[in-house]
Amino acid sequence: MSTEPTLLLVLDLCGTFAFALNGALTALRVVRLDIVGVLTLGVITAIGGGIVRDIVIDALPPATFSDWRYLAVAAAGSLLAFGLGSRLDRWAGAITLLDAAGLSLFAVTGASKALDLGIGPVQAVILGAITGAGGGTIRDVLIQRVPTVLRSELYAIPALLGATITVIASRTDSYGLPAAIAAAVACFALRMLGVRFGLNAPRPPRPPRA
């Protein structure tokens, strides 16, 4: 196995772990689920986006089921969150950073996989964003909450940016590990700006009072 696929796999699994922590912590903090609910929500958050992408592009079975490491890492992150509980609160900043890193990597790898299977550039950008944000969206729907990607900070826009850079690099025959890292860094930076300054996508003006 070459260095690039190995590095991307390691980063992919790190992102999976971070998303699993976030999903499990949501289950603990917001809806106080039992261990089954925590494990379910954590795993879905970690691998849900990739599963949706693979189903859409007919890459079956989804990668998360053909490679046991994804499910193992997602389950480990969920169980860690359940076991440590409130003690993970002090790591909230680090988990946010890892979540942004996971979003960035998944947006890049999701777009790359779509392009490898002959999907068009616009569709590849959309699938990259779905890979990054899909798991969290499914999580929020399950707990009957408006998905974070639709209501707070910058989330979908950074994913779309990272996926777009990936597609452009591929179309100009300049895609490789440096381009993938650049796309992920751009996504990560924009996401963290949203977190730091509480930025949101443009919203419609308030209706006039009667």
Side-chain angles (χ1 to χ4, degrees):
M1 182 178 288
S2 64
T3 302
E4 290 187 11
T6 301
L7 177 59
L8 288 174
L9 175 63
V10 170
L11 294 175
D12 209 11
L13 292 175
C14 287
T16 299
F17 186 76
F19 280 137
L21 279 174
N22 280 330
L25 286 173
T26 299
L28 289 169
R29 294 169 176 170
V30 178
V31 286
R32 298 187 61 82
L33 300 179
D34 60 16
I35 187 171
V36 175
V38 170
L39 185 61
T40 299
L41 216 58
V43 171
I44 285 177
T45 304
I47 67 176
I51 291 175
V52 172
R53 176 205 61 210
D54 289 348
I55 291 174
V56 170
I57 62 179
D58 200 26
L60 303 175
T64 49
F65 295 129
S66 59
D67 188 336
W68 63 269
R69 288 171 291 191
Y70 286 95
L71 284 173
V73 169
S78 302
L79 293 174
L80 177 64
F82 182 83
L84 296 182
S86 61
R87 282 177 286 181
L88 280 175
D89 287 344
R90 69 189 69 176
W91 302 346
I95 292 173
T96 299
L97 289 173
L98 287 173
D99 176 71
L103 173 72
S104 306
L105 179 66
F106 289 164
V108 172
T109 56
S112 299
K113 184 169 184 177
L115 290 173
D116 288 343
L117 293 178
I119 305 298
V122 174
Q123 293 86 343
V125 169
I126 294 173
L127 286 170
I130 288 174
T131 305
T137 300
I138 296 172
R139 173 204 64 205
D140 289 343
V141 170
L142 287 177
I143 62 174
Q144 299 181 342
R145 185 172 69 177
V146 177
T148 303
V149 68
L150 300 178
R151 63 182 169 83
S152 65
E153 299 168 351
L154 296 178
Y155 207 86
I157 291 176
L160 290 169
L161 174 64
T164 298
I165 295 173
T166 301
V167 170
I168 292 174
S170 177
R171 291 295 180 177
T172 56
D173 295 324
S174 58
Y175 184 74
L177 187 58
I181 291 175
V185 168
C187 176
F188 179 86
L190 186 56
R191 167 62 181 150
M192 293 312 299
L193 283 173
V195 172
R196 175 64 179 83
F197 297 105
L199 302 177
N200 295 285
R203 295 179 177 178
R206 294 179 180 271
R209 294 182 178 179

